[in-house]
Amino acid sequence: FCLDQQSIHSEGNKRMLEAIRSNSSTGGYAVHALTGGDWVLGAGLIDLFRNPKRSYWGTKEANQPRYLAIRVRPRNVYAAQGAKITVTGINDLDDTAGSLKVDIVSADGTSVFQETKHAALRSGVTPIFEAELKAGELSGGYTVRTRLTDEDGVIVAENSVAFDVFADQRLVKPTGKIAVLDINNSLRPFLDRSGVSHVEFGVDTPKSVPVFVSKAWAAKPKVTERFAELEKFVKQGGTAVYLETVQRWAQNPMWSGKVPPEGVLPMKLNIQHAMGLWVGVSHIVTDHPVFEGLPTNCMMGQAYENVWSPHTLRDLDGDLIVGSVSHGWFHGDKDAQNYIGPSPAWFGMDMGTVAHGQGRYILSTLRVVENLGSDPVADKILFNLIDWTTAQANR
């Protein structure tokens, strides 16, 4: 667990340093908490014995004086839309040049794209490669590898980055029927475009039809009444899926979080901010049908870059599908940091099932709705949710 968390830390540091160093307007940067000191349990890159932690290596790599920064945009690729691949040369030394090779390989090592060209790595920041990837025949995980060698065959710089392609067969639309309670019309348009069968939730909705709620919010009494009807539906044996349980302020969505107003849910929610700072917060995906075809039994890595949640729900008695776990870096009421040890560990529910009467609520804080149609991972999670809830209801 500790080493996996350090690997996530390493990837995050590497990407941030690439972004900083790719910006020619940046005058400099600092890697904080390089030494062990008081942050051995958190942001430190070496341990108490001055041995490098896993988080050290990505940071070291991204600090090389000559560096190739690769970007695949988008990181999660719809096969029919393809992607754009760029390589930016970063050089803190004298100008140099050589042969640049860009290769894309599948998980089994098969090359699906390869290009070699002469490239000049000038002092400073220089775009040195750009290509449109046609991904219509691709599906699964791939790695872009790039290497610059000089005329003597000496490697000047090299790098690699992973991405995923989602072909149509990985995004098969669900066949089960659902009902929707979509007060802000953020879910229906995607369902319509995807051809997913759905009806409006009402008092006559059968208990075998799961109800998908786009937003746990009610600003008007009539909407609150609809949520009261939904509670009766759940209590009598129905399933309600809340896709957006935590309300985030548009101005600051990563830091702000608000509980639903009274009447929207029958249980009290305790929101915990779950975005790591000095101490990491691990978002862990269990091996569950909702995440079939996606990385599971692991911490959320780069594939989940758009849908992971900066908030989690504490103290809920239910079954976790995605959970967050961390510890505080304040010990008691004083800023003691880690000198006398961290605060107790805590965990929360990013997505899970909570029983209510004869039915259940499935609560999610993931950013699925806002990424539908723009990130295939969000689409996949929603489709899996529909398949899972409709299959269970018809057993």
Side-chain angles (χ1 to χ4, degrees), residues 95-151:
D95 291 358
T96 188
S99 176
L100 179 73
K101 181 180 180 182
V102 179
D103 193 19
I104 301 177
V105 297
S106 63
D108 63 6
T110 302
S111 178
V112 299
F113 175 95
Q114 192 173 97
E115 186 172 330
T116 302
K117 58 172 285 189
H118 177 80
L121 192 64
R122 297 185 177 88
S123 181
V125 180
T126 311
I128 58 175
F129 181 84
E130 182 177 307
E132 297 290 337
L133 175 66
K134 297 185 183 301
E137 301 300 319
L138 305 182
S139 183
Y142 295 86
T143 301
V144 183
R145 298 172 181 164
T146 186
R147 173 181 290 178
L148 180 69
T149 54
D150 64 18
E151 58 183 15

Short mmCIF file of all heavy atoms in Angstrom, two decimals, residues 95-151:
data_model
loop_
_atom_site.label_atom_id
_atom_site.label_comp_id
_atom_site.label_asym_id
_atom_site.label_seq_id
_atom_site.Cartn_x
_atom_site.Cartn_y
_atom_site.Cartn_z
N ASP A 95 22.76 23.76 -27.26
CA ASP A 95 22.01 23.14 -28.35
C ASP A 95 22.62 21.79 -28.72
O ASP A 95 23.85 21.60 -28.65
CB ASP A 95 22.03 24.03 -29.59
CG ASP A 95 21.24 25.32 -29.41
OD1 ASP A 95 20.64 25.49 -28.32
OD2 ASP A 95 21.22 26.14 -30.34
N THR A 96 21.73 20.88 -29.11
CA THR A 96 22.18 19.59 -29.62
C THR A 96 21.15 19.11 -30.63
O THR A 96 20.10 19.73 -30.79
CB THR A 96 22.38 18.56 -28.49
OG1 THR A 96 23.00 17.38 -29.02
CG2 THR A 96 21.04 18.18 -27.84
N ALA A 97 21.45 18.03 -31.31
CA ALA A 97 20.53 17.50 -32.32
C ALA A 97 20.78 16.00 -32.46
O ALA A 97 21.78 15.46 -31.96
CB ALA A 97 20.72 18.21 -33.65
N GLY A 98 19.87 15.34 -33.14
CA GLY A 98 20.03 13.91 -33.35
C GLY A 98 18.81 13.29 -33.98
O GLY A 98 17.97 13.98 -34.57
N SER A 99 18.70 12.00 -33.83
CA SER A 99 17.61 11.23 -34.42
C SER A 99 16.54 10.99 -33.34
O SER A 99 16.83 10.39 -32.30
CB SER A 99 18.12 9.90 -34.95
OG SER A 99 17.06 9.10 -35.44
N LEU A 100 15.34 11.48 -33.60
CA LEU A 100 14.22 11.31 -32.67
C LEU A 100 13.34 10.16 -33.15
O LEU A 100 12.85 10.17 -34.28
CB LEU A 100 13.39 12.59 -32.58
CG LEU A 100 12.18 12.52 -31.65
CD1 LEU A 100 12.63 12.54 -30.19
CD2 LEU A 100 11.21 13.67 -31.92
N LYS A 101 13.14 9.18 -32.29
CA LYS A 101 12.26 8.05 -32.61
C LYS A 101 11.04 8.10 -31.70
O LYS A 101 11.18 8.22 -30.48
CB LYS A 101 13.00 6.73 -32.43
CG LYS A 101 12.14 5.50 -32.77
CD LYS A 101 12.92 4.21 -32.56
CE LYS A 101 12.05 3.00 -32.90
NZ LYS A 101 12.77 1.72 -32.67
N VAL A 102 9.85 8.00 -32.29
CA VAL A 102 8.60 7.93 -31.53
C VAL A 102 7.92 6.63 -31.89
O VAL A 102 7.68 6.34 -33.07
CB VAL A 102 7.67 9.12 -31.84
CG1 VAL A 102 6.37 8.99 -31.06
CG2 VAL A 102 8.37 10.44 -31.50
N ASP A 103 7.63 5.83 -30.90
CA ASP A 103 7.06 4.50 -31.11
C ASP A 103 5.87 4.33 -30.18
O ASP A 103 5.92 4.73 -29.01
CB ASP A 103 8.14 3.45 -30.81
CG ASP A 103 7.75 2.06 -31.29
OD1 ASP A 103 6.86 1.95 -32.15
OD2 ASP A 103 8.34 1.08 -30.79
N ILE A 104 4.79 3.74 -30.67
CA ILE A 104 3.62 3.41 -29.84
C ILE A 104 3.45 1.90 -29.86
O ILE A 104 3.35 1.29 -30.93
CB ILE A 104 2.34 4.10 -30.35
CG1 ILE A 104 2.52 5.62 -30.36
CG2 ILE A 104 1.14 3.72 -29.48
CD1 ILE A 104 1.31 6.37 -30.91
N VAL A 105 3.41 1.31 -28.67
CA VAL A 105 3.30 -0.14 -28.57
C VAL A 105 2.10 -0.52 -27.71
O VAL A 105 1.71 0.21 -26.80
CB VAL A 105 4.58 -0.76 -27.98
CG1 VAL A 105 5.77 -0.52 -28.91
CG2 VAL A 105 4.87 -0.22 -26.59
N SER A 106 1.50 -1.66 -28.03
CA SER A 106 0.37 -2.18 -27.26
C SER A 106 0.89 -2.89 -26.01
O SER A 106 2.10 -3.02 -25.80
CB SER A 106 -0.44 -3.14 -28.11
OG SER A 106 0.34 -4.26 -28.47
N ALA A 107 -0.03 -3.38 -25.20
CA ALA A 107 0.34 -4.05 -23.95
C ALA A 107 1.18 -5.30 -24.20
O ALA A 107 2.01 -5.67 -23.37
CB ALA A 107 -0.91 -4.40 -23.15
N ASP A 108 1.00 -5.95 -25.36
CA ASP A 108 1.78 -7.16 -25.67
C ASP A 108 3.06 -6.85 -26.43
O ASP A 108 3.76 -7.76 -26.91
CB ASP A 108 0.94 -8.17 -26.44
CG ASP A 108 0.49 -7.66 -27.81
OD1 ASP A 108 0.91 -6.55 -28.21
OD2 ASP A 108 -0.30 -8.36 -28.48
N GLY A 109 3.38 -5.55 -26.58
CA GLY A 109 4.62 -5.16 -27.23
C GLY A 109 4.54 -4.93 -28.72
O GLY A 109 5.55 -4.61 -29.36
N THR A 110 3.35 -5.06 -29.32
CA THR A 110 3.19 -4.84 -30.76
C THR A 110 3.25 -3.36 -31.08
O THR A 110 2.56 -2.54 -30.46
CB THR A 110 1.85 -5.41 -31.24
OG1 THR A 110 1.78 -6.81 -30.92
CG2 THR A 110 1.69 -5.23 -32.74
N SER A 111 4.06 -3.00 -32.07
CA SER A 111 4.17 -1.61 -32.48
C SER A 111 3.00 -1.25 -33.41
O SER A 111 2.73 -1.94 -34.39
CB SER A 111 5.49 -1.36 -33.20
OG SER A 111 5.58 -0.02 -33.63
N VAL A 112 2.31 -0.15 -33.08
CA VAL A 112 1.16 0.28 -33.90
C VAL A 112 1.44 1.62 -34.57
O VAL A 112 0.65 2.08 -35.40
CB VAL A 112 -0.12 0.37 -33.05
CG1 VAL A 112 -0.48 -0.99 -32.46
CG2 VAL A 112 0.02 1.42 -31.95
N PHE A 113 2.55 2.24 -34.21
CA PHE A 113 2.92 3.52 -34.81
C PHE A 113 4.42 3.70 -34.59
O PHE A 113 4.93 3.41 -33.51
CB PHE A 113 2.16 4.67 -34.16
CG PHE A 113 2.55 6.05 -34.63
CD1 PHE A 113 1.86 6.69 -35.65
CD2 PHE A 113 3.64 6.72 -34.06
CE1 PHE A 113 2.22 7.96 -36.09
CE2 PHE A 113 4.01 7.98 -34.48
CZ PHE A 113 3.31 8.60 -35.50
N GLN A 114 5.10 4.18 -35.64
CA GLN A 114 6.53 4.43 -35.49
C GLN A 114 6.96 5.51 -36.47
O GLN A 114 6.56 5.50 -37.63
CB GLN A 114 7.34 3.16 -35.74
CG GLN A 114 8.79 3.25 -35.32
CD GLN A 114 9.50 1.91 -35.44
OE1 GLN A 114 10.16 1.65 -36.43
NE2 GLN A 114 9.33 1.06 -34.43
N GLU A 115 7.72 6.45 -35.98
CA GLU A 115 8.24 7.51 -36.83
C GLU A 115 9.61 7.94 -36.31
O GLU A 115 9.81 8.07 -35.11
CB GLU A 115 7.29 8.70 -36.87
CG GLU A 115 7.70 9.78 -37.86
CD GLU A 115 6.66 10.86 -38.05
OE1 GLU A 115 5.45 10.58 -37.89
OE2 GLU A 115 7.06 12.01 -38.34
N THR A 116 10.53 8.14 -37.26
CA THR A 116 11.87 8.61 -36.93
C THR A 116 12.17 9.85 -37.75
O THR A 116 11.87 9.90 -38.95
CB THR A 116 12.92 7.52 -37.21
OG1 THR A 116 12.61 6.34 -36.45
CG2 THR A 116 14.31 8.00 -36.80
N LYS A 117 12.73 10.87 -37.11
CA LYS A 117 13.03 12.12 -37.80
C LYS A 117 14.24 12.79 -37.16
O LYS A 117 14.59 12.50 -36.01
CB LYS A 117 11.83 13.07 -37.76
CG LYS A 117 11.37 13.40 -36.34
CD LYS A 117 10.30 14.48 -36.32
CE LYS A 117 10.90 15.86 -36.58
NZ LYS A 117 9.93 16.95 -36.34
N HIS A 118 14.85 13.68 -37.91
CA HIS A 118 15.92 14.50 -37.33
C HIS A 118 15.28 15.59 -36.48
O HIS A 118 14.29 16.20 -36.88
CB HIS A 118 16.77 15.13 -38.45
CG HIS A 118 17.83 16.03 -37.92
ND1 HIS A 118 19.03 15.56 -37.41
CD2 HIS A 118 17.88 17.40 -37.79
CE1 HIS A 118 19.76 16.58 -37.00
NE2 HIS A 118 19.10 17.71 -37.22
N ALA A 119 15.85 15.82 -35.32
CA ALA A 119 15.29 16.84 -34.43
C ALA A 119 16.41 17.62 -33.77
O ALA A 119 17.43 17.05 -33.35
CB ALA A 119 14.41 16.20 -33.37
N ALA A 120 16.20 18.92 -33.67
CA ALA A 120 17.14 19.80 -32.98
C ALA A 120 16.60 20.11 -31.59
O ALA A 120 15.48 20.61 -31.45
CB ALA A 120 17.35 21.08 -33.78
N LEU A 121 17.40 19.81 -30.58
CA LEU A 121 17.03 20.11 -29.20
C LEU A 121 17.76 21.39 -28.80
O LEU A 121 18.89 21.37 -28.31
CB LEU A 121 17.41 18.95 -28.28
CG LEU A 121 16.84 18.99 -26.85
CD1 LEU A 121 15.32 18.88 -26.88
CD2 LEU A 121 17.43 17.85 -26.02
N ARG A 122 17.10 22.49 -29.05
CA ARG A 122 17.73 23.79 -28.77
C ARG A 122 17.64 24.12 -27.28
O ARG A 122 16.81 23.59 -26.56
CB ARG A 122 17.05 24.89 -29.59
CG ARG A 122 17.21 24.71 -31.09
CD ARG A 122 16.63 25.88 -31.87
NE ARG A 122 16.85 25.73 -33.29
CZ ARG A 122 16.01 25.08 -34.11
NH1 ARG A 122 14.91 24.54 -33.62
NH2 ARG A 122 16.29 24.98 -35.40
N SER A 123 18.50 25.01 -26.87
CA SER A 123 18.48 25.43 -25.47
C SER A 123 17.16 26.13 -25.18
O SER A 123 16.72 27.00 -25.92
CB SER A 123 19.64 26.39 -25.21
OG SER A 123 19.64 26.79 -23.85
N GLY A 124 16.49 25.73 -24.11
CA GLY A 124 15.17 26.28 -23.78
C GLY A 124 14.09 25.25 -24.01
O GLY A 124 14.30 24.05 -23.83
N VAL A 125 12.94 25.72 -24.45
CA VAL A 125 11.77 24.86 -24.67
C VAL A 125 11.41 24.90 -26.15
O VAL A 125 11.18 25.98 -26.70
CB VAL A 125 10.56 25.34 -23.82
CG1 VAL A 125 9.36 24.46 -24.06
CG2 VAL A 125 10.93 25.37 -22.34
N THR A 126 11.35 23.71 -26.79
CA THR A 126 11.11 23.64 -28.23
C THR A 126 10.17 22.50 -28.57
O THR A 126 10.45 21.34 -28.20
CB THR A 126 12.43 23.42 -29.00
OG1 THR A 126 13.41 24.35 -28.56
CG2 THR A 126 12.20 23.55 -30.49
N PRO A 127 9.06 22.76 -29.26
CA PRO A 127 8.24 21.66 -29.77
C PRO A 127 9.02 20.92 -30.85
O PRO A 127 9.52 21.54 -31.80
CB PRO A 127 7.02 22.36 -30.36
CG PRO A 127 7.05 23.75 -29.81
CD PRO A 127 8.48 24.08 -29.57
N ILE A 128 9.16 19.60 -30.74
CA ILE A 128 9.97 18.86 -31.72
C ILE A 128 9.20 17.75 -32.43
O ILE A 128 9.71 17.16 -33.38
CB ILE A 128 11.24 18.28 -31.07
CG1 ILE A 128 10.88 17.34 -29.91
CG2 ILE A 128 12.17 19.38 -30.60
CD1 ILE A 128 12.11 16.63 -29.33
N PHE A 129 7.96 17.47 -32.01
CA PHE A 129 7.19 16.42 -32.69
C PHE A 129 5.71 16.64 -32.45
O PHE A 129 5.29 17.02 -31.36
CB PHE A 129 7.59 15.04 -32.18
CG PHE A 129 6.85 13.90 -32.86
CD1 PHE A 129 7.29 13.40 -34.07
CD2 PHE A 129 5.72 13.36 -32.27
CE1 PHE A 129 6.60 12.36 -34.70
CE2 PHE A 129 5.02 12.33 -32.88
CZ PHE A 129 5.47 11.83 -34.10
N GLU A 130 4.91 16.38 -33.48
CA GLU A 130 3.46 16.44 -33.36
C GLU A 130 2.85 15.50 -34.40
O GLU A 130 3.31 15.46 -35.55
CB GLU A 130 2.95 17.86 -33.60
CG GLU A 130 1.45 18.02 -33.46
CD GLU A 130 0.98 19.45 -33.63
OE1 GLU A 130 1.53 20.33 -32.94
OE2 GLU A 130 0.09 19.68 -34.48
N ALA A 131 1.86 14.72 -33.99
CA ALA A 131 1.21 13.79 -34.91
C ALA A 131 -0.20 13.52 -34.46
O ALA A 131 -0.51 13.53 -33.26
CB ALA A 131 1.99 12.47 -34.99
N GLU A 132 -1.08 13.29 -35.45
CA GLU A 132 -2.45 12.87 -35.17
C GLU A 132 -2.50 11.35 -35.21
O GLU A 132 -2.09 10.73 -36.20
CB GLU A 132 -3.42 13.45 -36.21
CG GLU A 132 -3.50 14.97 -36.21
CD GLU A 132 -4.19 15.52 -34.97
OE1 GLU A 132 -4.98 14.77 -34.34
OE2 GLU A 132 -3.94 16.68 -34.62
N LEU A 133 -2.95 10.75 -34.12
CA LEU A 133 -3.05 9.30 -34.04
C LEU A 133 -4.43 8.85 -34.49
O LEU A 133 -5.43 9.19 -33.85
CB LEU A 133 -2.78 8.82 -32.61
CG LEU A 133 -2.97 7.32 -32.37
CD1 LEU A 133 -1.94 6.52 -33.16
CD2 LEU A 133 -2.89 6.99 -30.89
N LYS A 134 -4.50 8.11 -35.56
CA LYS A 134 -5.75 7.50 -36.00
C LYS A 134 -5.91 6.20 -35.23
O LYS A 134 -5.13 5.26 -35.41
CB LYS A 134 -5.74 7.27 -37.51
CG LYS A 134 -5.64 8.56 -38.31
CD LYS A 134 -5.76 8.29 -39.80
CE LYS A 134 -5.58 9.57 -40.60
NZ LYS A 134 -6.57 10.61 -40.25
N ALA A 135 -6.93 6.15 -34.37
CA ALA A 135 -7.06 5.04 -33.43
C ALA A 135 -8.23 4.12 -33.75
O ALA A 135 -8.63 3.32 -32.91
CB ALA A 135 -7.20 5.59 -32.01
N GLY A 136 -8.77 4.23 -34.97
CA GLY A 136 -9.97 3.45 -35.31
C GLY A 136 -9.80 1.96 -35.16
O GLY A 136 -10.77 1.25 -34.88
N GLU A 137 -8.59 1.44 -35.35
CA GLU A 137 -8.35 0.00 -35.26
C GLU A 137 -7.75 -0.40 -33.92
O GLU A 137 -7.37 -1.57 -33.74
CB GLU A 137 -7.40 -0.42 -36.39
CG GLU A 137 -7.90 -0.12 -37.79
CD GLU A 137 -9.21 -0.81 -38.11
OE1 GLU A 137 -9.36 -1.99 -37.72
OE2 GLU A 137 -10.09 -0.18 -38.72
N LEU A 138 -7.63 0.54 -32.99
CA LEU A 138 -6.97 0.26 -31.72
C LEU A 138 -7.99 0.06 -30.59
O LEU A 138 -9.09 0.60 -30.63
CB LEU A 138 -6.03 1.41 -31.35
CG LEU A 138 -4.97 1.80 -32.38
CD1 LEU A 138 -4.08 2.92 -31.83
CD2 LEU A 138 -4.13 0.61 -32.79
N SER A 139 -7.56 -0.68 -29.57
CA SER A 139 -8.39 -0.86 -28.38
C SER A 139 -7.52 -1.41 -27.26
O SER A 139 -6.75 -2.35 -27.47
CB SER A 139 -9.55 -1.83 -28.65
OG SER A 139 -10.38 -1.95 -27.51
N GLY A 140 -7.60 -0.78 -26.08
CA GLY A 140 -6.83 -1.25 -24.94
C GLY A 140 -5.77 -0.25 -24.51
O GLY A 140 -5.83 0.94 -24.83
N GLY A 141 -4.76 -0.76 -23.78
CA GLY A 141 -3.71 0.09 -23.26
C GLY A 141 -2.50 0.16 -24.18
O GLY A 141 -2.09 -0.84 -24.78
N TYR A 142 -1.93 1.36 -24.29
CA TYR A 142 -0.76 1.59 -25.16
C TYR A 142 0.24 2.48 -24.44
O TYR A 142 -0.09 3.18 -23.49
CB TYR A 142 -1.19 2.25 -26.47
CG TYR A 142 -2.09 1.36 -27.31
CD1 TYR A 142 -3.48 1.36 -27.09
CD2 TYR A 142 -1.57 0.51 -28.27
CE1 TYR A 142 -4.31 0.53 -27.82
CE2 TYR A 142 -2.40 -0.32 -29.02
CZ TYR A 142 -3.76 -0.31 -28.79
OH TYR A 142 -4.57 -1.14 -29.52
N THR A 143 1.48 2.44 -24.95
CA THR A 143 2.55 3.27 -24.40
C THR A 143 3.26 3.99 -25.54
O THR A 143 3.63 3.37 -26.53
CB THR A 143 3.58 2.43 -23.62
OG1 THR A 143 2.92 1.75 -22.56
CG2 THR A 143 4.68 3.30 -23.04
N VAL A 144 3.42 5.31 -25.38
CA VAL A 144 4.24 6.09 -26.31
C VAL A 144 5.65 6.14 -25.75
O VAL A 144 5.85 6.51 -24.60
CB VAL A 144 3.71 7.53 -26.47
CG1 VAL A 144 4.56 8.28 -27.51
CG2 VAL A 144 2.26 7.54 -26.87
N ARG A 145 6.63 5.77 -26.58
CA ARG A 145 8.03 5.83 -26.19
C ARG A 145 8.76 6.74 -27.16
O ARG A 145 8.56 6.66 -28.38
CB ARG A 145 8.67 4.44 -26.22
CG ARG A 145 8.04 3.45 -25.26
CD ARG A 145 8.60 2.05 -25.48
NE ARG A 145 8.00 1.08 -24.58
CZ ARG A 145 8.06 -0.25 -24.76
NH1 ARG A 145 8.72 -0.73 -25.82
NH2 ARG A 145 7.49 -1.07 -23.91
N THR A 146 9.60 7.59 -26.63
CA THR A 146 10.39 8.46 -27.50
C THR A 146 11.83 8.50 -27.00
O THR A 146 12.09 8.41 -25.79
CB THR A 146 9.81 9.88 -27.57
OG1 THR A 146 10.53 10.65 -28.52
CG2 THR A 146 9.85 10.57 -26.22
N ARG A 147 12.75 8.61 -27.97
CA ARG A 147 14.18 8.63 -27.63
C ARG A 147 14.91 9.51 -28.63
O ARG A 147 14.67 9.42 -29.85
CB ARG A 147 14.75 7.22 -27.65
CG ARG A 147 16.26 7.14 -27.48
CD ARG A 147 16.76 5.72 -27.54
NE ARG A 147 16.35 4.97 -26.35
CZ ARG A 147 16.62 3.67 -26.18
NH1 ARG A 147 17.28 2.99 -27.10
NH2 ARG A 147 16.24 3.06 -25.07
N LEU A 148 15.81 10.34 -28.12
CA LEU A 148 16.67 11.17 -28.97
C LEU A 148 18.11 10.69 -28.81
O LEU A 148 18.64 10.65 -27.69
CB LEU A 148 16.57 12.65 -28.57
CG LEU A 148 17.42 13.63 -29.38
CD1 LEU A 148 16.89 13.74 -30.82
CD2 LEU A 148 17.44 15.00 -28.73
N THR A 149 18.75 10.30 -29.92
CA THR A 149 20.14 9.87 -29.89
C THR A 149 20.97 10.78 -30.78
O THR A 149 20.51 11.23 -31.84
CB THR A 149 20.28 8.41 -30.38
OG1 THR A 149 19.66 8.28 -31.67
CG2 THR A 149 19.59 7.46 -29.43
N ASP A 150 22.20 11.08 -30.35
CA ASP A 150 23.04 11.96 -31.15
C ASP A 150 23.72 11.16 -32.27
O ASP A 150 23.50 9.95 -32.41
CB ASP A 150 24.06 12.71 -30.28
CG ASP A 150 25.06 11.79 -29.59
OD1 ASP A 150 25.23 10.63 -30.03
OD2 ASP A 150 25.70 12.23 -28.62
N GLU A 151 24.58 11.82 -33.04
CA GLU A 151 25.19 11.17 -34.21
C GLU A 151 26.15 10.05 -33.83
O GLU A 151 26.47 9.19 -34.66
CB GLU A 151 25.92 12.22 -35.06
CG GLU A 151 27.01 12.96 -34.31
CD GLU A 151 27.66 14.04 -35.13
OE1 GLU A 151 27.09 14.41 -36.17
OE2 GLU A 151 28.73 14.52 -34.73
#
